[in-house]
Amino acid sequence: MTALRDREAVEAEERERLARYAVASAESRGRVVAEPPHRLRTAFQRDRDRVVHSRAFRRLEYKTQVFVRHEGDHYRNRLTHTLEGSQIARTIARALRLNEELAEAIVLAHDLGHTPFGHAGERVLAELMRGHGGFDHNRQSLRVVDLLEERYPGFRGLNLCSETREGILKHGVHWEHPVPLPPASEQPCLEAQVADLADEIAYVNHDVDDGLRSGLLSAEALARIPLWTELREATRRRIGEAGEGVLRARTIGALIDRLVGDLVETSARRLEAAAPADVAAVRSRAEPLLGYSGPLDRERRRLKRFLHDELYLHPHVVEATQASVPLLRELFEAYHKDPAWLPAHVRTRFAVDGEARAIADYIAGMTDRFAHSERARVRGEA
Ligand code: MG
């Protein structure tokens, strides 16, 4: 064994370590613009690094997940959500002998297309773009990595591998996209399925945590969820005397552990039973192969419904993000009326993407705080 572990060595290890239905880095369907391989990093390590070094990734820090930023420094934003999700994805991928770096790259990129001000912001843009091709955050994430990041001389975007883009894209495409799309299939590769499930485990857990900490979710209301109560009681017995903060943190830890544990065990059994020969066999299945056991799946749905009703529709959360609706509309109209407000790189894209799309791309990329300062500027207040 040589001291240096280069890309070829890592690819050889993958052939030993990964399941036959995993996506091996050396067998990627490749990039839209062919590039020579890297001496040290595999194709998916490179994708992950390109995402982390992108400007859109850094902006995630100042984008609302559920709680708007001025409410406190300890609530999740899109960046910390993304990082928690990516680590959960790595655990699941590793436990199922799938490609960790691919699952990680997909999760790191999955929210790049989110607008400022969470889902309220997305709804405004969708409304403003009606008649101009619409707006959706998954599609926007693909636009970011395929078109909007400008970091290379030979192509627009990050030129990510087909499998990474397949995972970002999620549910097929019913709209125009100027870069050739990954081939359509019934299901995405298993690493994309992992990314989707890890995203959900991350947000369900941190939203319970942030919801309790903020006081918007009450412990009494959450006690209606049997899974939560069971884990909280088991945690209390296990750790003994502890403060409320520690008990909550350990219960959240137990919940993540329960979801991940059930998911990998159930999925491993399904993979053994279905025994897909390769990635193509995974993609052609009518149903996703990864998933939870029946009982936990019901509990998981119940908890998600609870969060939807009690937290996402909480008047305080709705009000805080609804404040952004007139703000984004005003910006869109100001740019449309007088494109001189826009930076030159956006105006030059009018000819390529159309005016409405170029403006929507620009607004979607904004952080919450930049959107506020832009409104002050177009009003002549700044
Ligand atoms: Mg997410």
Side-chain angles (χ1 to χ4, degrees), residues 81 110-111 199:
H81 157 69
H110 86 285
D111 269 357
D199 173 35

Side-chain angles (χ1 to χ4, degrees), residues 186-188 190 193 270 281-290:
E186 288 295 314
Q187 304 299 328
L190 292 169
Q193 296 180 33
R270 286 191 202 159
V282 168
R283 286 200 177 98
S284 64
R285 294 184 69 89
E287 299 286 331
L289 268 163
L290 306 191

Side-chain angles (χ1 to χ4, degrees), residues 247-268:
L247 177 60
R248 187 176 68 236
R250 293 323 337 126
T251 309
I252 296 282
L255 180 56
I256 296 177
D257 212 46
R258 172 70 65 89
L259 289 163
V260 169
D262 182 277
L263 174 63
V264 298
E265 276 155 28
T266 308
S267 300

Side-chain angles (χ1 to χ4, degrees), residues 65 78 81-82 85 107 110-111 114 119 137 170 195-196 198-200 202-203 206:
Q65 180 75 22
R78 290 235 172 254
H81 157 69
T82 294
V107 179
H110 86 285
D111 269 357
H114 264 293
H119 286 284
H137 72 265
K170 284 195 182 164
D196 215 18
D199 173 35
E200 185 188 276
Y203 78 69
H206 64 53

Side-chain angles (χ1 to χ4, degrees), residues 2-250:
T2 57
L4 181 69
R5 188 175 172 221
D6 62 7
R7 172 186 49 81
E8 287 181 359
V10 175
E11 286 174 352
E13 288 166 20
E14 281 188 1
R15 280 189 280 276
E16 299 285 310
R17 189 163 46 85
L18 299 185
R20 60 188 184 284
Y21 39 77
V23 180
S25 305
E27 277 141 43
S28 166
R29 296 184 293 202
R31 307 176 189 278
V32 171
V33 179
E35 294 182 58
H38 192 271
R39 179 159 173 261
L40 297 178
R41 293 173 299 155
T42 65
F44 300 126
Q45 280 180 278
R46 251 174 141 182
D47 280 9
R48 174 196 64 197
D49 298 348
R50 285 178 185 200
V51 170
V52 170
H53 287 269
S54 69
R55 281 160 38 119
F57 187 76
R58 294 196 289 279
R59 290 197 301 261
L60 292 175
E61 184 177 359
Y62 301 102
K63 290 191 173 200
T64 292
Q65 180 75 22
V66 173
F67 292 86
V68 297
R69 191 172 184 84
H70 62 77
E71 295 187 283
D73 290 345
H74 294 148
Y75 296 118
R76 272 68 170 193
N77 55 52
R78 290 235 172 254
L79 181 63
T80 55
H81 157 69
T82 294
L83 295 175
E84 289 180 21
S86 73
Q87 294 315 300
I88 292 170
R90 287 191 67 114
T91 300
I92 299 168
R94 181 179 286 208
L96 292 174
R97 300 184 192 283
L98 301 173
N99 195 317
E100 274 176 65
E101 277 92 18
L102 173 56
E104 184 184 23
I106 295 168
V107 179
L108 290 173
H110 86 285
D111 269 357
L112 292 178
H114 264 293
T115 62
F117 310 110
H119 286 284
E122 180 172 9
R123 280 192 297 272
V124 191
L125 272 186
E127 193 189 297
L128 289 164
M129 288 302 286
R130 206 171 287 151
H132 302 285
F135 184 89
D136 156 275
H137 72 265
N138 289 325
R139 159 196 192 164
Q140 194 63 19
S141 295
L142 199 66
R143 284 186 68 79
V144 170
V145 300
D146 281 355
L147 299 162
L148 301 179
E149 282 291 320
E150 292 189 69
R151 306 181 54 84
Y152 296 90
F155 43 80
R156 275 175 82 178
L158 303 177
N159 197 33
L160 302 181
C161 293
S162 174
E163 295 78 5
T164 311
R165 297 172 66 235
E166 171 188 27
I168 296 170
L169 182 55
K170 284 195 182 164
H171 329 282
V173 184
H174 321 286
W175 27 267
E176 246 175 80
H177 188 70
V179 179
L181 289 164
S185 58
E186 288 295 314
Q187 304 299 328
C189 61
L190 292 169
E191 286 80 357
Q193 296 180 33
V194 168
D196 215 18
L197 291 156
D199 173 35
E200 185 188 276
I201 295 173
Y203 78 69
V204 162
N205 280 280
H206 64 53
D207 289 350
V208 169
D209 192 26
D210 285 351
L212 285 170
R213 250 176 30 83
S214 65
L216 298 187
L217 288 183
S218 72
E220 299 76 54
L222 201 52
R224 297 203 303 267
I225 306 295
L227 177 63
W228 175 261
T229 307
E230 176 212 320
L231 291 172
R232 190 177 158 92
E233 287 317 308
T235 304
R236 198 199 296 279
R237 281 195 300 278
R238 185 167 55 81
I239 65 176
E241 277 305 303
E244 183 53 36
V246 171
L247 177 60
R248 187 176 68 236
R250 293 323 337 126

